[in-house]
Amino acid sequence: MGISQLGYIGFRVSDTDRWGTFLTEGLGMMDAGFVGGSHRYRNDALSWRVSVESGAEDDVSFLGFEVSGQAVFETLKRKLADDGIAVEEGTAELKRLRNVLDLFTCADPEGLRIEIFYGPGESDEAPFISPAGVCGFLTGEQGLGHVLLTATDMDATRAFYRDALDFRLSDMIILEIGQSQPLPLEFYHCNNRHHTVAFLPLKGPKRMQHFMLQVLDLDEVGYAQDRMDTVGAAISLSIGRHSNDKMISFYAQTPSGFDVEFGFGALDVDDSTWRVTTHSRTSLWGHKTPGSLSENWKPEI
Ligand SMILES: [Fe+2]
């Protein structure tokens, strides 16, 4: 038994003001205040889900994965240590800052900081209210959303995320791009969300290719796409439907250059009946680069 959900994401960005506008007025997240040097944002009952700190990286700086409670937390900590992965107990100050009961940290094979925790703080006394009027985000047991990370060593990546953290392969999209070798994208789940982490096996300019937030109504995808104009964010891929998780979504460029995916309607994974499949396209329809006749997504890396 391993990770139960993606709890939170941290970014280090060069323009925190633009990020604030993008997350609130653009994506509809709620400002949760400035705490310990980071701007925090929420999209559900938890006290925060996204942290934005000032820094030159313009990339993801940490991922927080939640486990169900102390027993799993201790078992996973021992398992990682037995696997030779360096783990470090969270300090009292860090636990207070993250607003969790307990936490340890480690790093993925390419150095991304990973925080494993349980017991996140809820803020039910101040209900989530979207400043952009978004009716609600699909979080709960499915967590914040998903991330697509670049990875140069897939053997090491599988050993960490699949074997150590117990993510399960959902499916693969194997892209044929020009004359080069096929590009296999791998999608992994830890709960009913089709994928919580996915990997693009390339050396990219950043670890984060995109992160995804899911809303409860299809119209919210269209409203959000329209709001990208007002916050000055370029659409990277128009509305389309993915081949594997069947999500209807669009992609927009964050102020740090990587993308956000904003979607609705992904199918759920049931481990008792799920079959691993492969796909040769990313999308059934749409997801076109604006101004392009391309009918399929091509990595811009
Ligand atoms: Fe995605």
Side-chain angles (χ1 to χ4, degrees):
M1 196 187 296
I3 304 302
S4 57
Q5 64 164 269
L6 174 64
Y8 52 75
I9 303 178
F11 298 112
R12 288 181 68 83
V13 311
S14 54
D15 192 337
T16 56
D17 288 345
R18 270 193 72 204
W19 262 92
T21 303
F22 180 76
L23 289 173
T24 55
E25 296 173 26
L27 303 184
M29 297 191 78
M30 181 176 170
D31 189 335
F34 186 71
V35 181
S38 71
H39 300 268
R40 302 209 297 205
Y41 301 89
R42 49 186 292 213
N43 66 347
D44 63 7
L46 295 190
S47 62
W48 69 282
R49 286 284 199 176
V50 169
S51 159
V52 175
E53 290 174 280
S54 183
E57 294 89 338
D58 275 314
D59 202 353
V60 59
S61 55
F62 58 85
L63 297 178
F65 290 120
E66 183 178 343
V67 297
S68 56
Q70 186 187 10
V72 179
F73 180 83
E74 297 296 344
T75 302
L76 186 57
K77 190 164 50 176
R78 275 196 304 276
K79 180 183 175 191
L80 293 182
D82 290 346
D83 286 353
I85 295 165
V87 300
E88 194 172 321
E89 303 280 352
T91 62
E93 185 186 357
L94 184 62
K95 290 180 221 178
R96 187 184 53 76
L97 182 63
R98 298 289 191 253
N99 196 16
V100 298
L101 275 181
D102 208 351
L103 171 149
F104 70 84
T105 66
C106 56
D108 88 350
E110 297 180 34
L112 175 60
R113 176 183 174 91
I114 302 295
E115 300 183 357
I116 311 287
F117 71 93
Y118 74 93
E122 290 194 338
S123 294
D124 286 329
E125 69 283 3
F128 167 70
I129 299 172
S130 168
V134 174
C135 67
F137 290 86
L138 181 64
T139 57
E141 293 181 355
Q142 294 201 3
L144 172 60
H146 73 229
V147 294
L148 175 61
L149 303 174
T150 57
T152 54
D153 184 342
M154 281 309 300
D155 287 339
T157 296
R158 289 187 203 101
F160 182 77
Y161 287 94
R162 183 191 64 190
D163 302 337
L165 297 186
D166 202 26
F167 282 92
R168 281 89 71 191
L169 181 68
S170 304
D171 46 41
M172 294 177 64
I173 297 177
I174 302 170
L175 294 176
E176 301 279 351
I177 299 177
Q179 303 299 313
S180 59
Q181 289 287 316
L183 185 68
L185 283 72
E186 301 186 14
F187 299 78
Y188 290 87
H189 63 277
C190 61
N191 55 41
N192 288 349
R193 190 182 290 287
H194 174 274
H195 57 283
T196 288
V197 293
F199 301 101
L200 180 63
L202 288 174
K203 177 161 180 53
K206 300 172 192 293
R207 283 306 304 285
M208 176 142 289
Q209 201 280 335
H210 75 263
F211 68 103
M212 188 285 302
L213 302 178
Q214 186 168 344
V215 283
L216 300 177
D217 186 276
L218 177 58
D219 282 335
E220 295 294 356
V221 179
Y223 290 138
Q225 182 172 264
D226 283 354
R227 287 195 303 271
M228 292 299 104
D229 290 342
T230 62
V231 296
I235 300 297
S236 306
L237 295 173
S238 64
I239 287 181
R241 182 162 217 154
H242 276 306
S243 58
N244 58 346
D245 68 359
K246 306 296 189 281
M247 175 173 280
I248 296 174
S249 60
F250 74 90
Y251 289 66
Q253 194 175 68
T254 69
S256 289
F258 56 82
D259 279 355
V260 63
E261 178 183 12
F262 200 86
F264 165 79
L267 53 77
D268 287 348
V269 167
D270 176 350
D271 272 317
S272 68
T273 56
W274 185 254
R275 287 170 60 228
V276 174
T277 54
T278 62
H279 304 264
S280 59
R281 295 167 57 104
T282 58
S283 306
L284 302 177
W285 50 265
H287 286 150
K288 296 183 184 183
T289 307
S292 145
L293 295 177
S294 164
E295 291 186 352
N296 211 343
W297 174 78
K298 304 246 188 332
E300 298 165 359
I301 293 171

